[in-house]
Amino acid sequence: MYICDMDLSAHIQYLLFRHDCVTVPGFGSFLVEQKAAYYDEVNQLYFPPSKVVSFNAQLQSNDGTLASHLAKSYGKSYERAVMDMHQETIAWKERLQKGTL
């Protein structure tokens, strides 16, 4: 089974709940910043803790987190998961260049 776009995105989202950084090798890293709860005195509103996700295209080295998770989820070898991710990132980059992602 090949890892399709929706599946890879869903796995990244899943991992962002558990990690502060998820790297897609050759593409970039999604980073999570924790925001503390706060009270807005002017509007008298409480805001709960939250997370802000950012993306850094400079961080592309494979840290193994996503590939290991995909290998386990699909019952594949780590190497096969890396190859599937690579194919998907090529497709993502093509879609970004065309403006369809």
Side-chain angles (χ1 to χ4, degrees):
M1 174 193 298
Y2 175 71
I3 300 168
C4 72
D5 178 38
M6 285 301 292
D7 286 338
L8 187 56
S9 298
H11 288 286
I12 293 167
Q13 181 180 0
Y14 171 84
L15 289 170
L16 284 173
F17 279 106
R18 289 149 185 81
H19 301 277
D20 290 334
C21 179
V22 176
T23 300
V24 182
F27 189 75
S29 295
F30 295 90
L31 306 157
V32 175
E33 180 184 352
Q34 306 283 337
K35 295 285 187 178
Y38 68 95
Y39 177 70
D40 179 348
E41 290 185 29
V42 173
N43 296 309
Q44 297 182 342
L45 294 171
Y46 287 98
F47 291 89
S50 62
K51 294 180 180 183
V52 176
V53 178
S54 61
F55 180 76
N56 186 332
Q58 300 296 316
L59 302 173
Q60 297 188 6
S61 296
N62 186 5
D63 65 2
T65 302
L66 183 56
S68 295
H69 172 75
L70 292 171
K72 183 178 177 183
S73 295
Y74 290 98
K76 296 182 175 201
S77 70
Y78 177 86
E79 292 78 13
R80 181 75 242 176
V82 169
M83 287 189 291
D84 285 353
M85 276 193 312
H86 179 70
Q87 290 299 314
E88 194 56 43
T89 58
I90 289 171
W92 282 4
K93 287 177 182 179
E94 289 172 357
R95 289 174 57 197
L96 279 170
Q97 287 177 345
K98 292 178 184 175
T100 60
L101 182 63

XYZ file of all heavy atoms in Angstrom:
814
model
N 0.855 -1.178 0.000
C 0.000 0.000 0.000
C 0.894 1.232 0.000
O 1.822 1.361 0.777
C -0.888 -0.002 1.244
C -1.702 1.263 1.385
S -2.479 1.476 3.004
C -3.542 0.069 3.057
N 0.591 2.145 -0.889
C 1.327 3.397 -0.991
C 0.682 4.428 -0.075
O -0.533 4.501 0.034
C 1.311 3.873 -2.447
C 1.947 5.212 -2.657
C 3.324 5.358 -2.547
C 1.182 6.326 -2.954
C 3.911 6.594 -2.725
C 1.764 7.554 -3.142
C 3.131 7.679 -3.027
O 3.704 8.904 -3.205
N 1.486 5.232 0.584
C 0.981 6.280 1.472
C 0.529 7.448 0.606
O 1.340 8.073 -0.069
C 2.075 6.744 2.451
C 2.548 5.572 3.294
C 1.562 7.872 3.331
C 3.808 5.855 4.077
N -0.742 7.736 0.597
C -1.246 8.836 -0.228
C -1.210 10.141 0.547
O -1.002 10.169 1.753
C -2.649 8.540 -0.740
S -3.920 8.636 0.523
N -1.457 11.227 -0.158
C -1.393 12.588 0.397
C -2.223 12.732 1.664
O -1.744 13.212 2.678
C -1.856 13.572 -0.681
C -1.865 15.009 -0.194
O -0.952 15.371 0.562
O -2.773 15.737 -0.576
N -3.486 12.332 1.637
C -4.347 12.495 2.808
C -3.819 11.691 3.988
O -3.864 12.153 5.115
C -5.784 12.087 2.484
C -6.516 13.108 1.638
S -6.614 14.723 2.431
C -7.707 14.380 3.782
N -3.336 10.504 3.737
C -2.813 9.698 4.832
C -1.583 10.349 5.459
O -1.468 10.410 6.668
C -2.444 8.296 4.359
C -3.656 7.422 4.100
O -4.731 7.697 4.652
O -3.506 6.455 3.339
N -0.666 10.833 4.644
C 0.547 11.452 5.176
C 0.189 12.698 5.989
O 0.707 12.900 7.082
C 1.522 11.797 4.053
C 2.893 12.308 4.481
C 3.586 11.328 5.424
C 3.757 12.581 3.270
N -0.713 13.499 5.490
C -1.145 14.696 6.227
C -1.772 14.325 7.564
O -1.518 14.966 8.581
C -2.164 15.492 5.400
O -1.586 15.943 4.211
N -2.588 13.284 7.569
C -3.240 12.841 8.803
C -2.206 12.338 9.812
O -2.334 12.593 11.016
C -4.266 11.755 8.509
N -1.173 11.667 9.338
C -0.136 11.166 10.241
C 0.691 12.321 10.811
O 1.075 12.284 11.979
C 0.755 10.147 9.530
C 0.078 8.843 9.293
N -0.154 7.928 10.302
C -0.455 8.306 8.177
C -0.781 6.877 9.802
N -0.980 7.093 8.522
N 0.942 13.339 10.012
C 1.651 14.517 10.513
C 0.824 15.177 11.600
O 1.328 15.518 12.671
C 1.961 15.501 9.364
C 2.979 14.887 8.409
C 2.462 16.837 9.916
C 3.121 15.633 7.089
N -0.459 15.345 11.343
C -1.358 15.945 12.335
C -1.369 15.127 13.620
O -1.270 15.683 14.720
C -2.771 16.044 11.761
C -3.757 16.683 12.702
C -5.158 16.760 12.093
O -5.394 16.338 10.967
N -6.085 17.298 12.844
N -1.464 13.817 13.503
C -1.455 12.931 14.672
C -0.177 13.123 15.491
O -0.227 13.264 16.716
C -1.588 11.475 14.201
C -1.390 10.458 15.284
C -2.442 10.094 16.119
C -0.156 9.842 15.478
C -2.269 9.148 17.118
C 0.027 8.905 16.479
C -1.029 8.561 17.296
O -0.852 7.635 18.292
N 0.955 13.162 14.802
C 2.233 13.282 15.502
C 2.427 14.661 16.140
O 3.113 14.780 17.156
C 3.391 12.970 14.551
C 3.518 11.498 14.167
C 4.535 11.331 13.038
C 3.889 10.645 15.368
N 1.819 15.689 15.570
C 1.951 17.028 16.148
C 1.269 17.144 17.509
O 1.599 18.022 18.296
C 1.404 18.091 15.196
C 2.307 18.419 14.010
C 1.597 19.346 13.038
C 3.625 19.026 14.472
N 0.341 16.263 17.808
C -0.265 16.251 19.141
C 0.693 15.675 20.171
O 0.564 15.943 21.363
C -1.559 15.432 19.148
C -2.743 16.188 18.628
C -3.249 15.915 17.379
C -3.347 17.184 19.389
C -4.331 16.617 16.883
C -4.429 17.892 18.913
C -4.928 17.601 17.650
N 1.666 14.904 19.728
C 2.571 14.208 20.634
C 3.996 14.748 20.635
O 4.778 14.456 21.520
C 2.579 12.726 20.281
C 1.278 12.063 20.671
C 0.903 10.910 19.757
N -0.413 10.390 20.122
C -1.569 10.936 19.749
N -1.580 12.017 19.006
N -2.721 10.405 20.107
N 4.340 15.514 19.597
C 5.711 16.019 19.453
C 5.683 17.517 19.139
O 4.730 18.020 18.561
C 6.431 15.288 18.315
C 6.516 13.806 18.514
N 7.482 13.211 19.282
C 5.726 12.802 18.062
C 7.298 11.898 19.283
N 6.239 11.625 18.557
N 6.774 18.194 19.462
C 6.881 19.622 19.169
C 7.381 19.883 17.756
O 7.336 21.013 17.275
C 7.831 20.306 20.156
C 7.245 20.382 21.551
O 6.007 20.379 21.680
O 8.025 20.443 22.513
N 7.864 18.844 17.087
C 8.383 19.003 15.732
C 8.161 17.708 14.961
O 8.459 16.621 15.462
C 9.873 19.334 15.774
S 10.626 19.521 14.146
N 7.636 17.837 13.740
C 7.508 16.691 12.839
C 8.160 17.097 11.528
O 7.740 18.059 10.880
C 6.036 16.289 12.603
C 5.942 15.158 11.586
C 5.377 15.883 13.914
N 9.199 16.358 11.156
C 9.946 16.666 9.949
C 9.523 15.740 8.823
O 9.458 14.524 9.001
C 11.461 16.522 10.199
O 11.830 17.429 11.243
C 12.263 16.834 8.950
N 9.244 16.350 7.667
C 8.998 15.589 6.438
C 10.299 15.704 5.649
O 10.613 16.774 5.121
C 7.811 16.174 5.644
C 7.555 15.342 4.392
C 6.555 16.250 6.517
N 11.082 14.624 5.612
C 12.399 14.688 4.973
C 12.321 15.229 3.540
O 11.460 14.837 2.762
C 12.871 13.237 4.980
C 12.117 12.608 6.107
C 10.786 13.291 6.122
N 13.207 16.163 3.232
C 13.251 16.748 1.909
C 12.166 17.779 1.646
O 12.083 18.328 0.551
N 11.343 18.066 2.631
C 10.242 19.019 2.456
C 10.317 20.143 3.484
O 10.289 21.313 3.146
C 8.898 18.299 2.546
C 7.723 19.143 2.165
C 7.475 19.443 0.837
C 6.874 19.633 3.130
C 6.392 20.229 0.468
C 5.778 20.419 2.785
C 5.542 20.722 1.450
N 10.381 19.784 4.765
C 10.444 20.780 5.826
C 9.874 20.238 7.124
O 9.472 19.079 7.206
N 9.837 21.095 8.130
C 9.379 20.678 9.462
C 8.213 21.527 9.933
O 8.191 22.740 9.746
C 10.520 20.807 10.478
O 11.556 19.912 10.165
N 7.271 20.844 10.561
C 6.153 21.501 11.214
C 6.514 21.612 12.692
O 6.873 20.616 13.318
C 4.871 20.691 11.033
C 4.436 20.609 9.597
C 4.872 19.575 8.785
C 3.604 21.579 9.061
C 4.487 19.505 7.459
C 3.205 21.518 7.733
C 3.648 20.478 6.927
N 6.437 22.822 13.226
C 6.846 23.089 14.597
C 5.639 23.545 15.411
O 4.819 24.320 14.924
C 7.914 24.172 14.621
C 9.123 23.889 13.721
C 9.815 25.164 13.351
C 10.049 22.924 14.397
N 5.572 23.073 16.652
C 4.464 23.431 17.536
C 4.986 24.303 18.665
O 5.978 23.972 19.313
C 3.799 22.167 18.136
C 2.732 22.547 19.144
C 3.217 21.310 17.040
N 4.311 25.429 18.874
C 4.626 26.308 19.997
C 3.435 26.300 20.949
O 2.306 26.536 20.542
C 4.877 27.733 19.505
C 5.206 28.700 20.609
C 5.355 30.134 20.106
O 5.343 30.358 18.894
O 5.459 31.026 20.962
N 3.709 26.004 22.199
C 2.666 25.990 23.223
C 2.375 27.416 23.675
O 3.291 28.176 23.961
C 3.123 25.168 24.433
C 3.583 23.764 24.111
C 2.439 22.816 23.855
O 1.322 23.032 24.299
N 2.711 21.746 23.145
N 1.107 27.770 23.735
C 0.692 29.072 24.237
C -0.040 28.864 25.558
O -0.938 28.037 25.665
C -0.253 29.777 23.250
C 0.391 30.122 21.926
C 1.307 31.302 22.096
C 1.830 31.759 20.756
N 2.669 32.909 20.851
N 0.343 29.619 26.560
C -0.276 29.496 27.882
C -1.678 30.107 27.879
O -1.991 30.974 27.063
C 0.588 30.201 28.922
N -2.479 29.655 28.801
C -3.807 30.250 28.993
C -3.629 31.688 29.460
O -2.633 32.026 30.094
C -4.589 29.454 30.023
N -4.587 32.532 29.124
C -4.506 33.912 29.578
C -5.898 34.524 29.705
O -6.867 34.003 29.172
C -3.624 34.757 28.665
C -4.185 34.988 27.284
C -4.906 36.144 26.993
C -3.971 34.072 26.266
C -5.412 36.378 25.731
C -4.482 34.282 24.998
C -5.196 35.436 24.731
O -5.700 35.652 23.471
N -5.928 35.638 30.410
C -7.177 36.366 30.623
C -7.067 37.735 29.966
O -6.115 38.473 30.198
C -7.452 36.523 32.123
C -8.693 37.326 32.425
C -9.957 36.806 32.152
C -8.597 38.590 32.986
C -11.099 37.545 32.424
C -9.733 39.335 33.272
C -10.986 38.809 32.979
O -12.119 39.522 33.243
N -8.025 38.071 29.120
C -8.095 39.371 28.454
C -8.942 40.287 29.335
O -10.166 40.164 29.370
C -8.718 39.203 27.072
C -8.855 40.509 26.307
O -8.680 41.598 26.907
O -9.137 40.438 25.101
N -8.283 41.172 30.060
C -8.993 42.044 31.012
C -9.935 43.024 30.326
O -11.001 43.328 30.853
C -7.987 42.796 31.877
C -7.260 41.882 32.849
C -6.354 42.645 33.784
O -6.645 43.817 34.098
O -5.343 42.058 34.216
N -9.554 43.511 29.160
C -10.379 44.487 28.458
C -11.739 43.890 28.089
O -12.788 44.485 28.317
C -9.658 45.009 27.189
C -10.571 45.901 26.363
C -8.387 45.741 27.569
N -11.708 42.684 27.510
C -12.942 42.025 27.071
C -13.493 41.050 28.095
O -14.528 40.433 27.870
C -12.719 41.310 25.740
C -12.394 42.275 24.634
O -13.102 43.254 24.429
N -11.302 42.021 23.922
N -12.779 40.883 29.198
C -13.159 39.971 30.270
C -13.437 38.550 29.749
O -14.469 37.957 30.004
C -14.365 40.503 31.047
C -14.077 41.818 31.741
C -15.244 42.337 32.561
O -16.382 41.922 32.390
N -14.945 43.243 33.479
N -12.429 38.049 29.014
C -12.524 36.712 28.444
C -11.316 35.878 28.852
O -10.193 36.374 28.888
C -12.578 36.782 26.916
C -13.800 37.425 26.293
C -13.591 37.607 24.789
C -15.040 36.585 26.563
N -11.555 34.604 29.131
C -10.490 33.651 29.391
C -10.198 32.891 28.104
O -11.122 32.496 27.390
C -10.895 32.655 30.477
C -10.913 33.241 31.862
C -12.103 33.678 32.437
C -9.738 33.360 32.593
C -12.128 34.218 33.711
C -9.749 33.898 33.865
C -10.949 34.330 34.424
O -10.953 34.867 35.684
N -8.932 32.664 27.834
C -8.520 31.882 26.679
C -7.723 30.672 27.174
O -6.791 30.832 27.972
C -7.675 32.723 25.723
C -8.473 33.792 25.039
C -8.616 35.053 25.615
C -9.105 33.541 23.837
C -9.357 36.039 24.996
C -9.859 34.514 23.209
C -9.986 35.774 23.788
N -8.084 29.487 26.718
C -7.412 28.270 27.191
C -6.014 28.136 26.581
O -5.682 28.840 25.613
C -8.331 27.157 26.686
C -8.943 27.723 25.448
C -9.127 29.197 25.744
N -5.229 27.217 27.113
C -3.931 26.944 26.484
C -4.160 26.512 25.035
O -5.194 25.924 24.716
C -3.348 25.793 27.306
C -4.178 25.701 28.524
C -5.487 26.343 28.241
N -3.216 26.797 24.189
C -3.363 26.427 22.781
C -2.000 26.118 22.185
O -0.972 26.278 22.840
C -4.052 27.559 22.011
O -3.264 28.730 22.064
N -2.036 25.686 20.946
C -0.819 25.409 20.200
C -0.866 26.188 18.895
O -1.925 26.335 18.293
C -0.713 23.915 19.867
C -0.544 23.020 21.069
C -0.442 21.578 20.635
C -0.266 20.661 21.818
N -0.098 19.259 21.401
N 0.292 26.682 18.474
C 0.423 27.366 17.198
C 1.407 26.550 16.366
O 2.511 26.242 16.822
C 0.932 28.812 17.382
C 1.163 29.480 16.038
C -0.032 29.612 18.230
N 0.993 26.203 15.154
C 1.842 25.405 14.270
C 2.473 26.326 13.231
O 1.793 27.158 12.627
C 1.026 24.295 13.559
C 1.911 23.499 12.612
C 0.383 23.376 14.585
N 3.781 26.159 13.046
C 4.491 26.902 12.010
C 5.249 25.904 11.139
O 5.332 24.716 11.464
C 5.450 27.926 12.630
O 6.420 27.286 13.421
N 5.788 26.398 10.040
C 6.512 25.529 9.105
C 7.859 26.148 8.803
O 7.965 27.361 8.607
C 5.710 25.369 7.803
C 6.383 24.489 6.799
C 6.377 23.115 6.954
C 7.030 25.034 5.709
C 7.004 22.296 6.029
C 7.657 24.232 4.774
C 7.637 22.853 4.937
N 8.905 25.316 8.773
C 10.244 25.770 8.447
C 10.791 24.875 7.343
O 11.092 23.703 7.576
C 11.144 25.723 9.680
C 12.509 26.320 9.432
O 13.014 26.311 8.310
N 13.122 26.840 10.481
N 10.913 25.424 6.144
C 11.400 24.658 4.999
C 12.898 24.362 5.087
O 13.400 23.495 4.361
C 11.100 25.413 3.705
N 13.603 25.053 5.979
C 15.052 24.842 6.118
C 15.384 23.548 6.869
O 16.462 22.993 6.696
C 15.685 26.029 6.849
C 15.494 27.356 6.158
C 16.187 27.402 4.812
O 17.326 26.960 4.693
N 15.512 27.917 3.818
N 14.467 23.086 7.712
C 14.697 21.874 8.508
C 14.155 20.672 7.751
O 12.979 20.356 7.824
C 14.008 21.994 9.876
C 14.423 23.166 10.752
C 13.540 23.244 11.978
C 15.883 23.053 11.134
N 15.032 19.987 7.014
C 14.585 18.897 6.148
C 15.218 17.549 6.453
O 14.861 16.550 5.840
C 14.856 19.247 4.685
C 14.098 20.436 4.201
C 14.240 20.642 2.710
O 14.827 19.835 2.003
N 13.689 21.721 2.218
N 16.135 17.506 7.382
C 16.829 16.247 7.681
C 15.890 15.262 8.360
O 15.103 15.632 9.226
C 18.036 16.496 8.583
O 18.980 17.294 7.922
N 15.998 14.019 7.973
C 15.140 12.964 8.511
C 15.531 12.655 9.953
O 16.614 12.152 10.215
C 15.253 11.711 7.650
C 14.278 10.637 8.066
O 13.440 10.831 8.939
N 14.382 9.488 7.436
N 14.623 12.951 10.885
C 14.873 12.609 12.291
C 14.307 11.230 12.631
O 14.472 10.738 13.740
C 14.319 13.672 13.231
C 12.802 13.792 13.180
O 12.152 13.037 12.442
O 12.263 14.657 13.890
N 13.602 10.621 11.694
C 13.101 9.256 11.873
C 11.722 9.154 12.498
O 11.105 8.086 12.461
N 11.209 10.232 13.058
C 9.924 10.176 13.760
C 8.783 9.793 12.829
O 8.036 8.847 13.094
C 9.616 11.526 14.437
O 10.668 11.845 15.333
C 8.304 11.476 15.195
N 8.632 10.520 11.735
C 7.531 10.261 10.809
C 7.698 8.921 10.107
O 6.747 8.144 10.008
C 7.426 11.401 9.793
C 6.287 11.326 8.786
C 4.931 11.211 9.480
C 6.314 12.542 7.862
N 8.899 8.621 9.650
C 9.139 7.355 8.950
C 8.882 6.154 9.865
O 8.255 5.170 9.445
C 10.568 7.306 8.412
N 9.321 6.231 11.099
C 9.092 5.133 12.046
C 7.603 4.947 12.312
O 7.102 3.818 12.357
C 9.806 5.402 13.369
O 11.187 5.410 13.189
N 6.903 6.057 12.474
C 5.467 5.998 12.718
C 4.737 5.382 11.517
O 3.863 4.526 11.688
C 4.934 7.396 13.009
C 3.448 7.469 13.080
N 2.741 6.992 14.159
C 2.535 7.924 12.187
C 1.449 7.163 13.934
N 1.307 7.731 12.748
N 5.100 5.801 10.305
C 4.459 5.265 9.101
C 4.764 3.779 8.928
O 3.873 3.000 8.575
C 4.916 6.039 7.865
C 4.448 7.489 7.781
C 5.144 8.207 6.637
C 2.934 7.561 7.626
N 6.004 3.408 9.168
C 6.379 1.991 9.042
C 5.550 1.127 9.986
O 5.018 0.087 9.591
C 7.871 1.824 9.323
N 5.410 1.583 11.199
C 4.622 0.838 12.181
C 3.137 0.817 11.805
O 2.484 -0.219 11.872
C 4.804 1.450 13.568
C 4.091 0.706 14.664
C 4.354 1.342 16.019
C 3.566 0.616 17.101
N 3.747 1.249 18.407
N 2.616 1.951 11.385
C 1.188 2.066 11.054
C 0.788 1.192 9.872
O -0.315 0.656 9.837
C 0.832 3.514 10.736
O 0.982 4.324 11.867
N 1.670 1.066 8.894
C 1.348 0.321 7.674
C 1.994 -1.060 7.610
O 1.852 -1.762 6.617
C 1.748 1.131 6.442
C 0.869 2.337 6.232
C 1.270 3.593 6.660
C -0.369 2.222 5.617
C 0.466 4.704 6.482
C -1.187 3.318 5.432
C -0.761 4.561 5.861
O -1.562 5.657 5.690
N 2.733 -1.419 8.653
C 3.395 -2.726 8.657
C 4.452 -2.837 7.566
O 4.626 -3.884 6.965
N 5.157 -1.729 7.319
C 6.201 -1.678 6.297
C 7.565 -1.594 6.956
O 7.674 -1.334 8.148
C 6.040 -0.425 5.430
C 4.792 -0.367 4.620
C 4.798 0.902 3.797
C 3.612 0.925 2.876
N 3.806 1.830 1.761
N 8.579 -1.749 6.137
C 9.928 -1.524 6.643
C 10.149 -0.016 6.734
O 9.480 0.779 6.056
C 10.971 -2.138 5.705
O 11.025 -1.410 4.485
N 11.087 0.365 7.558
C 11.451 1.777 7.694
C 11.889 2.326 6.333
O 11.491 3.419 5.938
C 12.573 1.907 8.727
C 13.088 3.313 8.902
C 12.467 4.187 9.782
C 14.198 3.766 8.184
C 12.934 5.487 9.948
C 14.674 5.052 8.348
C 14.038 5.905 9.231
O 14.501 7.188 9.388
N 12.682 1.553 5.610
C 13.194 1.982 4.317
C 12.057 2.224 3.320
O 12.074 3.183 2.560
C 14.177 0.951 3.760
C 15.469 0.844 4.544
C 15.352 0.049 5.851
O 14.325 -0.651 6.057
O 16.273 0.155 6.671
N 11.039 1.346 3.331
C 9.893 1.508 2.433
C 9.102 2.764 2.798
O 8.641 3.495 1.928
C 8.987 0.270 2.522
C 7.774 0.299 1.622
C 8.184 0.030 0.199
N 7.846 1.191 -0.597
C 8.125 1.331 -1.879
N 8.765 0.374 -2.513
N 7.777 2.393 -2.526
N 8.946 3.018 4.078
C 8.240 4.216 4.516
C 8.980 5.471 4.059
O 8.350 6.438 3.610
C 8.066 4.212 6.034
N 10.300 5.466 4.138
C 11.099 6.611 3.684
C 10.918 6.808 2.180
O 10.735 7.943 1.713
C 12.599 6.435 4.049
C 13.462 7.484 3.359
C 12.789 6.500 5.554
N 10.932 5.722 1.422
C 10.742 5.838 -0.030
C 9.355 6.378 -0.371
O 9.208 7.229 -1.256
C 10.981 4.489 -0.705
C 12.439 4.085 -0.745
S 12.781 2.635 -1.768
C 12.019 1.340 -0.813
N 8.331 5.900 0.328
C 6.969 6.386 0.083
C 6.845 7.870 0.430
O 6.212 8.632 -0.295
C 5.949 5.573 0.883
C 5.692 4.199 0.298
O 6.205 3.894 -0.806
O 4.981 3.416 0.952
N 7.456 8.276 1.550
C 7.439 9.695 1.920
C 8.123 10.531 0.856
O 7.639 11.611 0.508
C 8.157 9.922 3.257
C 7.322 9.688 4.461
S 8.093 10.325 5.962
C 9.757 9.720 5.877
N 9.232 10.039 0.348
C 9.966 10.764 -0.686
C 9.089 10.964 -1.920
O 9.033 12.075 -2.475
C 11.253 10.014 -1.048
C 12.053 10.673 -2.119
N 12.717 11.853 -1.929
C 12.267 10.308 -3.396
C 13.322 12.196 -3.058
N 13.052 11.276 -3.960
N 8.391 9.921 -2.342
C 7.500 10.028 -3.500
C 6.388 11.048 -3.244
O 6.022 11.829 -4.111
C 6.899 8.666 -3.849
C 7.900 7.690 -4.419
C 8.518 8.207 -5.704
O 7.837 8.691 -6.598
N 9.840 8.143 -5.786
N 5.851 11.029 -2.040
C 4.774 11.964 -1.710
C 5.276 13.399 -1.665
O 4.593 14.315 -2.112
C 4.130 11.583 -0.380
C 2.827 12.283 -0.128
C 1.801 12.067 -1.237
O 1.664 10.939 -1.723
O 1.149 13.047 -1.614
N 6.477 13.621 -1.139
C 7.007 14.992 -1.091
C 7.302 15.518 -2.493
O 7.143 16.715 -2.741
C 8.259 15.106 -0.195
O 9.271 14.216 -0.670
C 7.932 14.801 1.246
N 7.689 14.651 -3.398
C 7.871 15.071 -4.797
C 6.539 15.562 -5.349
O 6.464 16.610 -5.979
C 8.442 13.913 -5.656
C 9.900 13.649 -5.272
C 8.315 14.232 -7.148
C 10.484 12.401 -5.903
N 5.484 14.818 -5.093
C 4.142 15.205 -5.557
C 3.707 16.522 -4.911
O 3.124 17.383 -5.579
C 3.144 14.093 -5.260
N 3.982 16.686 -3.613
C 3.633 17.934 -2.924
C 4.348 19.120 -3.567
O 3.751 20.162 -3.799
C 3.999 17.857 -1.453
C 3.059 17.089 -0.590
C 1.953 16.391 -0.968
C 3.144 16.948 0.826
N 1.355 15.814 0.123
C 2.061 16.138 1.237
C 4.030 17.401 1.782
C 1.836 15.796 2.555
C 3.816 17.070 3.106
C 2.735 16.275 3.502
N 5.638 18.965 -3.825
C 6.421 20.053 -4.407
C 5.900 20.417 -5.796
O 5.816 21.596 -6.145
C 7.905 19.670 -4.484
C 8.576 19.677 -3.127
C 10.010 19.218 -3.238
C 10.689 19.173 -1.892
N 12.086 18.712 -1.972
N 5.530 19.417 -6.602
C 4.970 19.679 -7.919
C 3.652 20.442 -7.812
O 3.400 21.375 -8.552
C 4.762 18.370 -8.691
C 6.054 17.718 -9.138
C 5.861 16.341 -9.731
O 4.712 15.814 -9.759
O 6.864 15.747 -10.173
N 2.814 20.028 -6.872
C 1.530 20.700 -6.671
C 1.727 22.125 -6.157
O 0.987 23.033 -6.542
C 0.652 19.892 -5.730
C 0.157 18.605 -6.392
C -0.591 17.703 -5.451
N -1.721 18.362 -4.832
C -2.333 17.903 -3.754
N -1.911 16.790 -3.167
N -3.359 18.550 -3.248
N 2.727 22.350 -5.318
C 3.021 23.712 -4.833
C 3.464 24.611 -5.988
O 3.054 25.766 -6.072
C 4.090 23.680 -3.746
C 3.627 23.325 -2.343
C 4.827 23.097 -1.432
C 2.744 24.424 -1.783
N 4.302 24.070 -6.861
C 4.767 24.849 -8.010
C 3.613 25.212 -8.941
O 3.598 26.290 -9.535
C 5.851 24.096 -8.767
C 7.167 24.062 -8.027
C 8.222 23.257 -8.759
O 7.927 22.494 -9.681
N 9.475 23.405 -8.334
N 2.656 24.307 -9.058
C 1.493 24.560 -9.926
C 0.421 25.394 -9.220
O -0.520 25.833 -9.837
C 0.874 23.237 -10.369
C 1.743 22.430 -11.296
C 1.081 21.113 -11.645
C 1.978 20.252 -12.493
N 1.388 18.924 -12.734
N 0.570 25.548 -7.901
C -0.410 26.296 -7.135
C -1.680 25.521 -6.847
O -2.735 26.096 -6.620
N -1.579 24.185 -6.825
C -2.766 23.358 -6.598
C -2.759 22.670 -5.234
O -3.603 21.825 -4.984
C -2.900 22.285 -7.699
O -1.729 21.447 -7.684
C -3.090 22.926 -9.053
N -1.835 23.032 -4.374
C -1.805 22.426 -3.030
C -2.334 23.388 -2.018
O -2.104 24.551 -2.026
C -0.378 22.004 -2.650
C -0.214 21.320 -1.301
C -0.973 19.986 -1.260
C 1.238 21.090 -0.998
